[in-house]
Amino acid sequence: MLNGDLLGRLNVQMAKGVANFSGKRLTEARLARGLFKNVLGDMIGVSSAAIGRYEADQDKPHPERLEDLASKLSFPIEFFTRPPWPEKIEPIFWRHKAAETKAAREMTEQRMRWLCEIFDVLEQEIEFPDLNVPKLDLPEDFRLISSSMIEEYAEQVRSFWRLRELPIRDMILCVESAGVPVVMLDIPSEKQDGFFFSSQSLHRPFIGVNIHDVTSARARFDVAHELGHLCLHRMVTAEQERNQVSHKILEQQAHRFAGAFLFPRAAFLNEVGVPSLDYFSALKKRWGISIAAMIARSYDLGMIDSDMKTYLYISMSKRKWRGRRREPFDDTMALERPRMLRRGIDALLGAGDYSTQDIRSILCLPPSEIEGILSLSSGSLSAGILSKIDHIARKRAPVTAEDLETGNVITFPGRHVRT
Amino acid sequence: MNLAERTGRIVLDDLDPAFVESLGNFAAWEYSTFYETLSADSSLTPELRLDLFRSGRGLVMNRAIVRAANKHGIPFEVRRLACNGQSKLMVKVGRVILISEALKTMWDKPKAADYKREISGCYGIIQQLEFDLGDRPKQLLDWSDGVLGVILHGAAGMRFRRSECELGAFILGLPDAEYQSWLMRLDLHDIAMFGVTHSSKPQPAYDEYEQEDRVIVKRRSVRQIERSNG
């Protein structure tokens, strides 16, 4: 039985716990690392129940324990004392196979929250491109969207962005030019292809693509697929997205949109004289769409029947073109990279008011996470350098002027040339 | 767009620069190796070496073509010609069918032959040629809308010397229907190096289309910035 003195001491110890510790932050970090509570507990020598109490904000860890937690999870200590992103992000349009685990999805969900945080922090100092996505005249019920309507919607979006009926050289540039940030995450799961969500508080949609062992054509298609969700499914609720039957329809619609957007109907009918693997192979580099996707597109547009589609897929297998990175040009076509968020960082550093260390402490995430979300080269933040940014150039030159009378150059050391 | 322009566009659209680059590299090596082989053969006189070099260039280029086609997974076929019993290597790159021909001089005109007339068809549109790769059912066998291209190649000089036996001309010629003259000749070195030709001939539509970069990110002015303590 505890006597009053001991109880009092415990209360004092509890009071000594880090007061502004956020349990939700611990949950985020743990899920991002893919750890169960008991595993994390074992790592720092406490029970899983203790971790549960920390996460539920029923208990606050002591500074030493918090330090231990931060070290084991490889997060800065300050991360656990910052308020978490307040918004519940939904609906999230996942592009993944049904077999994907909840834990793997949760790992990615944390990155989405941090993406919102990073964008929010950057947007306080940086002006990003305005959102410029056409508001299509959609039926209220997404199930009423037919294939022919999707073809027309894709054409409308192309027309709105003045893309004409020509190949899109850089799909990510196309989407980011319309104010939609794209992130490329290396998620070690072949079952997760990408995601799309809109942040209500930031008034901004975000597209994510898993670049783990992905080809350029596949990544382009993934981005176009998520764009399909953005354009077609603005009225879809989180419940509808979670429903298996609805999810399947939503995915099929986004898939059709991706094909129609990347290779419009008229151009496809014009350029694909006869659907054959050689034709598709020749068109792949021009249109940046995989041969398998072109077979599906031929079928969607009624150029071939299902037998022929199967036949072409079998022929691809015979040529050993099926499977990851096996199609022609898969190894030579360069992966497109996002630029919007990266440019935000460049602008901050370029102005000379921030160093990479400042960026790290403002964003308050592990450097590897920031690099992943912002598509910076690996190690650039942790090493304190960014590849394309010349830090010497950030020392702005003082303003100079020529004296018209004497011709002498006068320097104003207190004023600097704007960059 | 006239037929010549259309033909040029198909070639520029479908001809894979990576394949052309490999072909150029392999051809240069094969030319050089062939010279070395003949030079090392002490049983040959200088005149014989030159004759053998001239007559063997076709085979040298064929070897380079097969290597490049294998490297890039491009289908090819050796066809035995009914008219003279010779074998002819044909490569199919998208809608372009390539054969090769050794040049004596840069001003050589197409050398007419029955099989060439047959495959060059009407203004370069192939009517008969079809490769059965097992991926097309019967109804698709009538493959059309293809273009015949001839890889024209020649040595840098006329004599049997190392510098003059290197690969010199490396051109893609597009013959007319009668195989009487070239509709167009494209420098393959250009295609290999830049992806497209620098000539004034028609360019593919996507080269005219520059995608605009509108991802403009600006630092907010100080007045706009609302700093937080976060």
Side-chain angles (χ1 to χ4, degrees):
Chain A
M1 191 176 154
L2 295 170
N3 61 34
D5 187 36
L6 180 58
L7 195 63
R9 285 211 319 265
L10 276 175
N11 282 334
V12 170
Q13 279 181 342
M14 279 184 67
K16 279 182 184 171
V18 178
N20 53 351
F21 170 81
S22 164
K24 281 187 180 153
R25 285 297 203 184
L26 178 59
T27 311
E28 284 180 14
R30 180 178 63 77
L31 292 177
R33 296 288 179 248
L35 298 174
F36 291 113
K37 285 176 192 166
N38 59 338
V39 177
L40 179 60
D42 288 347
M43 287 164 81
I44 62 160
V46 298
S47 65
S48 65
I51 298 291
R53 289 181 64 80
Y54 290 151
E55 291 190 4
D57 284 324
Q58 291 168 341
D59 232 343
K60 306 280 183 192
H62 292 251
E64 300 78 31
R65 182 143 291 156
L66 177 58
E67 204 174 319
D68 208 11
L69 274 170
S71 159
K72 291 288 185 295
L73 291 166
S74 304
F75 272 72
I77 292 176
E78 300 78 33
F79 171 81
F80 298 95
T81 56
R82 296 265 176 103
W85 183 248
E87 181 187 3
K88 186 176 184 190
I89 299 169
E90 62 177 18
I92 300 169
F93 293 89
W94 288 96
R95 186 170 173 221
H96 58 76
K97 294 192 175 72
E100 180 63 323
T101 61
K102 184 169 174 274
R105 278 208 310 275
E106 282 173 341
M107 282 175 80
T108 310
E109 273 178 18
Q110 311 319 313
R111 270 95 192 178
M112 292 181 201
R113 269 185 262 282
W114 300 338
L115 168 61
C116 289
E117 282 179 46
I118 291 175
F119 191 87
D120 187 40
V121 168
L122 291 178
E123 208 180 24
Q124 289 177 30
E125 311 242 357
I126 297 291
E127 274 182 67
F128 288 108
D130 291 336
L131 197 59
N132 184 33
V133 180
K135 203 169 183 185
L136 301 170
D137 185 16
L138 299 164
E140 274 192 28
D141 187 345
F142 69 92
R143 287 168 296 188
L144 299 175
I145 300 175
S146 66
S147 299
S148 58
M149 286 163 77
I150 294 172
E151 293 287 336
E152 280 171 29
Y153 288 142
E155 284 164 21
Q156 282 177 34
V157 178
R158 269 184 157 264
S159 162
F160 188 80
W161 287 342
R162 291 175 291 170
L163 293 170
R164 298 189 279 166
E165 284 196 350
L166 293 171
I168 297 167
R169 288 194 157 188
D170 190 327
M171 184 63 212
I172 294 179
L173 173 63
C174 172
V175 168
E176 289 202 319
S177 288
V180 183
V182 176
V183 287
M184 292 186 130
L185 300 176
D186 191 352
I187 306 162
S189 164
E190 289 183 2
K191 292 167 186 162
Q192 227 178 88
D193 289 317
F195 59 80
F196 161 74
F197 68 90
S198 269
S199 164
Q200 302 304 319
S201 54
L202 294 171
H203 308 289
R204 190 72 72 158
F206 294 89
I207 285 175
V209 176
N210 182 7
I211 52 165
H212 184 74
D213 201 23
V214 78
T215 62
S216 171
R218 176 68 177 254
R220 282 167 59 86
F221 197 88
D222 287 344
V223 174
H225 174 102
E226 305 306 339
L227 175 65
H229 285 308
L230 168 60
C231 295
L232 302 176
H233 301 142
R234 66 170 186 267
M235 287 181 271
V236 172
T237 63
E239 288 73 34
Q240 286 172 323
E241 207 286 330
R242 281 194 286 267
N243 179 288
Q244 276 194 346
V245 178
S246 303
H247 177 81
K248 198 174 173 187
I249 297 170
L250 292 168
E251 286 299 284
Q252 283 170 347
Q253 289 178 343
H255 231 59
R256 179 71 186 246
F257 182 92
F261 187 78
L262 284 169
F263 205 160
R265 176 171 47 186
F268 195 89
L269 296 174
N270 186 36
E271 295 210 16
V272 181
V274 179
S276 74
L277 296 188
D278 291 321
Y279 249 120
F280 293 147
S281 178
L283 291 169
K284 179 174 174 176
K285 275 183 97 172
R286 178 163 151 73
W287 287 91
I289 179 169
S290 72
I291 294 169
M294 277 188 269
I295 294 173
R297 185 106 182 97
S298 314
Y299 176 72
D300 286 344
L301 294 175
M303 293 173 79
I304 56 173
D305 57 19
S306 60
D307 287 347
M308 182 63 190
K309 184 171 78 164
T310 310
Y311 194 82
L312 286 170
Y313 282 137
I314 291 170
S315 297
M316 279 187 75
S317 301
K318 279 184 186 168
R319 294 189 188 195
K320 297 188 170 55
W321 284 3
R322 296 208 79 180
R324 292 244 161 192
R325 310 191 75 88
R326 281 184 155 191
E327 283 193 12
F329 314 123
D330 274 351
D331 288 330
T332 53
M333 286 168 66
L335 197 64
E336 294 170 7
R337 306 296 294 187
R339 39 178 79 63
M340 190 194 288
L341 297 174
R342 158 89 201 210
R343 283 181 182 172
I345 294 284
D346 284 359
L348 273 188
L349 292 173
D353 299 337
Y354 291 90
S355 66
T356 48
Q357 187 54 46
D358 295 336
I359 300 282
R360 281 174 60 177
S361 58
I362 293 169
L363 299 180
C364 208
L365 283 164
S368 59
E369 293 292 345
I370 302 171
E371 286 159 6
I373 292 169
L374 298 178
S375 290
L376 304 175
S377 54
S378 179
S380 55
L381 267 184
S382 40
I385 47 152
L386 280 172
S387 56
K388 284 189 181 172
I389 295 167
D390 182 3
H391 285 250
I392 296 163
R394 287 170 47 227
K395 284 186 178 175
R396 290 173 294 170
V399 173
T400 56
E402 191 181 333
D403 185 340
L404 295 174
E405 292 292 325
T406 62
N408 294 335
V409 176
I410 306 161
T411 304
F412 299 86
R415 300 182 66 183
H416 296 91
V417 177
R418 279 183 180 276
T419 50
Chain B
M1 195 187 296
N2 64 33
L3 272 173
E5 287 171 338
R6 184 163 168 256
T7 305
R9 177 155 289 180
I10 289 173
V11 170
L12 291 170
D13 282 355
D14 288 12
L15 204 57
D16 177 16
F19 166 73
V20 178
E21 187 184 354
S22 297
L23 178 57
N25 287 336
F26 290 143
W29 278 106
E30 292 289 349
Y31 258 71
S32 175
T33 308
F34 190 42
Y35 169 82
E36 297 292 347
T37 309
L38 294 177
S39 299
D41 191 341
S42 56
S43 65
L44 298 174
T45 64
E47 295 77 15
L48 276 173
R49 285 194 183 105
L50 184 58
D51 283 351
L52 282 172
F53 182 78
R54 282 180 180 163
S55 59
R57 283 177 302 162
L59 189 62
V60 162
M61 181 53 81
N62 279 354
R63 209 181 294 148
I65 291 172
V66 169
R67 285 176 68 189
N70 280 330
K71 183 180 174 186
H72 295 275
I74 288 171
F76 63 89
E77 187 186 83
V78 179
R79 278 217 159 185
R80 189 164 289 281
L81 306 173
C83 49
N84 59 11
Q86 287 181 4
S87 295
K88 195 75 187 170
L89 177 70
M90 294 170 181
V91 185
K92 190 173 176 193
V93 190
R95 288 167 287 178
V96 185
I97 291 189
L98 297 173
I99 58 174
S100 71
E101 203 164 273
L103 279 176
K104 265 190 188 164
T105 69
M106 291 288 284
W107 306 276
D108 282 4
K109 283 196 170 180
K111 292 173 203 145
D114 288 345
Y115 82 95
K116 290 178 190 167
R117 282 204 191 92
E118 183 184 316
I119 58 177
S120 64
C122 175
Y123 286 98
I125 306 299
I126 292 163
Q127 294 168 325
Q128 303 288 333
L129 193 62
E130 177 56 33
F131 299 134
D132 185 11
L133 294 164
D135 58 346
R136 281 178 219 116
K138 287 275 184 230
Q139 70 266 24
L140 295 177
L141 276 176
D142 184 20
W143 190 80
S144 58
D145 201 24
V147 169
L148 176 71
V150 185
I151 298 166
L152 303 165
H153 58 103
M158 300 295 285
R159 290 170 295 185
F160 190 78
R161 290 180 181 174
R162 182 186 297 279
S163 59
E164 296 192 30
C165 287
E166 285 176 353
L167 178 67
F170 186 46
I171 297 165
L172 181 69
L174 303 175
D176 66 8
E178 290 304 311
Y179 219 89
Q180 295 290 323
S181 62
W182 302 117
L183 278 174
M184 191 184 291
R185 290 201 298 175
L186 308 169
D187 188 345
L188 286 174
H189 287 301
D190 261 7
I191 294 178
M193 287 180 70
F194 306 110
V196 291
T197 174
H198 283 174
S199 75
S200 56
K201 299 300 178 191
Q203 300 287 313
Y206 65 95
D207 280 318
E208 297 160 6
Y209 166 60
E210 284 298 324
Q211 192 174 345
E212 201 180 337
D213 186 342
R214 294 194 296 270
V215 188
I216 298 160
V217 171
K218 288 185 288 187
R219 187 92 161 78
R220 287 188 194 280
S221 60
V222 179
R223 247 178 288 164
Q224 283 179 290
I225 298 173
E226 291 173 23
R227 290 184 192 276
S228 71
N229 296 323

